[in-house]
Amino acid sequence: MPIARPAGRIPDAAWTSGLREMTEPWKGALGCLGVAVFFAMTIGIISWQALEQSPEEWVLRGRAGGVLWERRRGALLLRALPEGQPVAVIAVGGVPAAEPPPPRDRCWQDGGQFCYAWEEEAELRLSLEPPPAPGTECYGVHWTPLRPEVMLKDCFSMANISWYGGASIRDQRWPFNSVDSPAQPFVSGDFGKNPTGYGPVLERYFLGSTGVTVTVAPDVPFILSLESNQHFCLGSAGGPLQYLLCISSDVATAHRHVGTQLVEPTRVLPDMALLGSPIWHYYGPVGSAAKIKRGLRSLTRRLKRHRLQEGILALGERSTATLAAMEYVSMEQRRRRSSAHAWDPALINPLQLSITLSPYTSIASPLFLRSLRDNEASYWLSLQPRFGGCLVPLLTTWKGRLCARLNVTSEVALSWYLARARALRRALGAAYVVFEGAEGNAFLEQAMSPPAELAGDRYAGALAAALATLGNATVISAGARSSHLPLFVQMSPRRSDWSHAGLKGVIPSVLHYSLLGYNFFIPDAVGGSLAGDAPGDQELYVRWLQIVTFLPVMAFSTQPWLCCDTWVLNLTRQCIQRHRDLVVPLILKYSEEWLRLGYPIFRPVWWLSPTDPTAFTIEDEFLIGDEVLVAPITEKGQTWRDIYLPGEGHQWMDTNTARVFDGGTILRNYSASLEEVPVFVKTS
């Protein structure tokens, strides 16, 4: 039989008697051993976290790249495979992101998505999305706040990457890395009202030199901030934040695959006859219709005398309103007036007329007062009454006047407005109609939440769609998701100086507009139309003229015979002829490519050198298509400059000297006198 063992409980004294019998030295030694074991375990855990645990954790992985979580910065990394080169670093803000929580809802099991949830803060869902083209891979990023006060913000690093696209700014740069802009709603604006705001042309699209694109969802309001040479941030506007990350082999491929699909694939050309017609802005007397007619007659005679008789005479909004008042008198009054008072388009032959309208009307105007009397307040953007009652027009300012703004959400209001525009154009025999004031959000300007149908830039988009029904001889002052429409876009006025708000900003603006799909633009007038530091600067006028020669339309507010010597007048005639003979055919040629593929007509030099870092920051050269490189002087007093010739393996010929140079090289201190602009044609 087995030996029986006592099954009783061990007496408590058995656990402590040994310690009582220990001497004091043994007790001290045992305590030291415990402390040593504790520190060893602590050091081991720290070492495991620092050495064994990877600082980066794969979150979602595709074939061409993948998204990782970087613990040190609390950031998402987008890496290209197989090299593992980071193409974007996104610092996550608005949540305690130093350490991500466990994945949520097992949404990683299908391999196509991954989720995080910060308790009572926000949820993050990452997903592989269908690629727009072979060779490009896309990841959806969708943040959802779990409390109303949570403001989400993702910041994209500018370290070792150049960024393009987004919004136009007053001091335009290419790339926009060196720009500072406070956090503000991503809505087009008027630099005259807000110089630090965003300009009239913007798209929810950002392009990085590493071949990465960021496209914000069209129905998600967001806030954008730019912090010079650090990062740009997308912030939520009290709701979700959703965008698409795509990665391609290089920056040019990325734009071909993603940027060209910003709007509808069906594109329509505006009136291409405008390309060869210089625009002469009228700034003469505007006190009465009779004074305007005399001023136009005088300007027409001067243009003919200087052999500049072909083109367009452009009236501003005030002059247009004066002539409109003359045309809209009653029929009884018109019959009593002599024919000498009526407008006759032959007055300016062979030039054509352009008139200017806006969606604003002064609250003191007969038109606005009549609309209120006829109970047509719905024609204007209005505040909805809380407890019934009448609509109250939302008041805003336009050119220093208190005004109401056209309600583009009302079909009745739009039909009325377009009918008036057609009638005025017909009465004045105008070839073109310019619509100013399309940019901005009147509700946000008044710190009010806009209705859903007018959130963000939907006002500009709705107005552009309506104006496109007037025909392709229409010019608008803003662009947002409307580059496919048959409209010309009028660029913002620029300062008459050498700064990035003046001459230096012209080429960056050209590249910005064209990258976003707005190839058919009218640049600001030669020499700038805003007051600057150098009034009457002949050198500035000439250098500006040389750039505008290679753009879609040449516009003038100051006539060359008023500002400059006789040789500048002769140079103006030569530039207008060069524009017609060389530039217009090129634009027509690459317009066909834009219709088919959506490629920009005016291209940065990295278009032909998409992997050369030198090309990423060049903002004073541009390509017309793939075959003409324009490298003008933009520094005061200089008659030389460095010129980068893109496209290794190609050759370029200087049109001034017929010298041929290899692509992929830099011409140091290349000569360009005041009468010359360096232009190169690709020969192979």
Side-chain angles (χ1 to χ4, degrees):
M1 293 180 61
I3 299 174
R5 298 180 181 274
R9 181 182 175 188
I10 300 176
D12 292 340
W15 292 96
T16 58
S17 60
L19 287 175
R20 290 196 189 101
E21 296 172 359
M22 277 188 178
T23 61
E24 291 301 324
W26 279 103
K27 291 180 181 179
L30 186 61
C32 291
L33 179 62
V35 173
V37 170
F38 171 78
F39 277 108
M41 291 177 64
T42 303
I43 294 172
I45 292 172
I46 295 174
S47 300
W48 175 80
Q49 288 182 333
L51 301 177
E52 300 297 330
Q53 192 176 18
S54 173
E56 297 177 359
E57 174 186 346
W58 280 101
V59 175
L60 199 61
R61 189 164 180 166
R63 294 186 176 183
V67 180
L68 301 92
W69 185 274
E70 189 196 54
R71 301 175 184 277
R72 181 171 56 86
R73 287 181 288 185
L76 292 172
L77 301 184
L78 182 60
R79 286 190 180 274
L81 296 174
E83 295 85 358
Q85 181 71 22
V87 295
V89 179
I90 311 164
V92 175
V95 295
E99 186 71 21
R104 184 180 65 85
D105 293 344
R106 298 181 177 272
C107 73
W108 71 92
Q109 288 186 342
D110 65 357
Q113 57 180 336
F114 199 91
C115 305
Y116 284 138
W118 285 265
E119 186 176 357
E120 297 183 355
E121 293 288 341
E123 294 178 352
L124 171 63
R125 181 180 295 270
L126 304 170
S127 58
L128 276 168
E129 299 294 333
T136 291
E137 196 164 74
C138 295
Y139 304 84
V141 181
H142 193 165
W143 283 96
T144 304
L146 300 181
R147 290 184 289 111
E149 62 270 21
V150 173
M151 303 299 291
L152 303 167
K153 183 173 71 171
D154 284 0
C155 295
F156 294 78
S157 173
M158 293 181 179
N160 303 316
I161 178 172
S162 297
W163 287 98
Y164 318 93
S168 52
I169 56 175
R170 188 176 71 100
D171 300 342
Q172 193 70 53
R173 302 297 179 100
W174 183 270
F176 63 67
N177 290 45
S178 59
V179 174
D180 270 311
S181 176
Q184 55 192 300
F186 191 76
V187 176
S188 65
D190 180 357
F191 293 136
K193 289 183 177 180
N194 183 14
T196 62
Y198 299 128
V201 167
L202 44 69
E203 294 290 344
R204 298 162 166 255
Y205 169 71
F206 303 85
L207 172 65
S209 57
T210 53
V212 63
T213 62
V214 183
T215 309
V216 183
D219 56 346
V220 175
F222 73 100
I223 294 170
L224 175 68
S225 61
L226 307 174
E227 298 185 21
S228 176
N229 296 316
Q230 296 184 45
H231 49 243
F232 73 92
C233 300
L234 309 179
S236 65
L241 179 62
Q242 184 177 353
Y243 56 89
L244 186 69
L245 287 172
C246 293
I247 179 174
S248 303
S249 58
D250 58 63
V251 61
T253 301
H255 187 66
R256 289 187 181 101
H257 288 177
V258 181
T260 57
Q261 302 181 22
L262 293 177
V263 292
E264 299 176 16
T266 302
R267 307 175 184 92
V268 185
L269 293 174
D271 182 12
M272 305 302 275
L274 181 58
L275 298 181
S277 304
I279 296 175
W280 304 93
H281 290 280
Y282 173 74
Y283 290 114
V286 296
S288 66
K291 289 183 178 180
I292 292 174
K293 288 194 291 184
R294 285 197 298 269
L296 289 173
R297 187 184 296 112
S298 174
L299 178 55
T300 300
R301 289 172 177 170
R302 284 176 174 266
L303 289 169
K304 290 180 180 178
R305 185 185 312 149
H306 294 295
R307 290 177 285 131
L308 297 169
Q309 66 272 19
E310 296 181 9
I312 296 167
L313 289 183
L315 294 180
E317 187 180 7
R318 186 177 174 187
S319 297
T320 300
T322 302
L323 292 184
M326 176 190 71
E327 288 299 319
Y328 281 114
V329 296
S330 67
M331 293 301 297
E332 291 78 13
Q333 290 175 310
R334 185 173 296 184
R335 278 196 294 266
R336 289 196 298 267
R337 293 167 62 182
S338 66
S339 60
H341 291 284
W343 170 259
D344 181 8
L347 181 73
I348 60 172
N349 279 342
L351 287 95
Q352 297 176 299
L353 185 68
S354 167
I355 59 176
T356 302
L357 302 174
S358 80
Y360 293 92
T361 187
S362 169
I363 62 172
S365 68
L367 177 65
F368 178 75
L369 297 176
R370 187 165 57 248
S371 70
L372 296 184
R373 184 192 63 202
D374 297 340
N375 199 25
E376 294 171 343
S378 61
Y379 282 8
W380 316 107
L381 292 181
S382 301
L383 302 175
Q384 295 295 328
R386 185 172 298 178
F387 303 108
C390 300
L391 293 174
V392 180
L394 177 68
L395 300 185
T396 183
T397 57
W398 172 247
K399 295 185 177 179
R401 298 178 301 166
L402 198 59
C403 294
R405 199 179 195 195
L406 179 70
N407 181 9
V408 296
T409 65
S410 167
E411 291 293 335
V412 175
L414 277 177
S415 298
W416 164 80
Y417 182 75
L418 296 177
R420 295 186 74 254
R422 290 189 185 97
L424 182 58
R425 176 180 173 179
R426 185 168 52 250
L428 297 179
Y432 299 94
V433 184
V434 179
F435 290 88
E436 297 180 339
E439 61 274 9
N441 189 311
F443 290 92
L444 292 178
E445 291 171 4
Q446 303 296 327
M448 299 178 183
S449 296
E453 62 269 22
L454 290 176
D457 262 303
R458 293 185 178 179
Y459 187 96
L463 183 59
L467 296 180
T469 64
L470 294 176
N472 64 354
T474 304
V475 183
I476 192 171
S477 63
R481 286 174 281 179
S482 58
S483 61
H484 61 292
L485 298 174
L487 303 171
F488 276 91
V489 179
Q490 175 66 59
M491 279 190 170
S492 299
R494 306 202 66 80
R495 287 178 57 86
S496 181
D497 59 29
W498 296 84
S499 71
H500 277 88
L503 178 65
K504 282 191 183 69
V506 173
I507 295 178
S509 296
V510 168
L511 296 174
H512 173 78
Y513 274 56
S514 199
L515 184 81
L516 298 185
Y518 298 91
N519 296 283
F520 308 102
F521 52 82
I522 301 175
D524 190 29
V526 172
S529 56
L530 298 178
D533 302 327
D537 187 336
Q538 181 168 278
E539 181 187 3
L540 178 69
Y541 192 93
V542 170
R543 293 305 191 192
W544 209 305
L545 173 66
Q546 291 169 344
I547 296 176
V548 171
T549 300
F550 296 90
L551 301 183
V553 180
M554 302 181 69
F556 299 84
S557 59
T558 302
Q559 293 81 35
W561 61 83
L562 294 179
C563 76
C564 309
D565 297 336
T566 303
W567 73 270
V568 178
L569 176 60
N570 295 331
L571 180 65
T572 301
R573 283 193 290 264
Q574 295 170 14
C575 287
I576 292 175
Q577 194 61 47
R578 190 178 195 183
H579 177 263
R580 289 172 177 160
D581 294 343
L582 172 64
V583 180
V584 171
L586 274 173
I587 296 177
L588 293 175
K589 173 182 176 180
Y590 285 99
S591 296
E592 297 300 320
E593 186 178 83
W594 175 76
L595 285 174
R596 290 185 292 108
L597 303 172
Y599 294 173
I601 295 175
F602 301 92
R603 302 171 180 176
V605 293
W606 53 247
W607 191 263
L608 295 181
S609 297
T611 59
D612 187 350
T614 304
F616 296 154
T617 57
I618 293 178
E619 65 171 5
D620 56 358
E621 302 178 24
F622 64 93
L623 295 160
I624 305 178
D626 284 346
E627 55 189 287
V628 172
L629 174 72
V630 184
I633 299 289
T634 59
E635 292 285 347
K636 183 175 177 59
Q638 283 194 359
T639 55
W640 52 267
R641 59 158 295 167
D642 293 344
I643 298 175
Y644 177 83
L645 299 177
E648 186 175 355
H650 297 293
Q651 288 190 317
W652 297 88
M653 183 185 72
D654 185 343
T655 57
N656 294 320
T657 65
R659 297 172 63 191
V660 177
F661 303 91
D662 292 330
T665 58
I666 299 177
L667 307 181
R668 300 291 183 184
N669 299 329
Y670 201 75
S671 176
S673 67
L674 184 57
E675 296 83 2
E676 297 175 330
V677 54
V679 178
F680 296 80
V681 176
K682 193 170 68 171
T683 59
S684 66

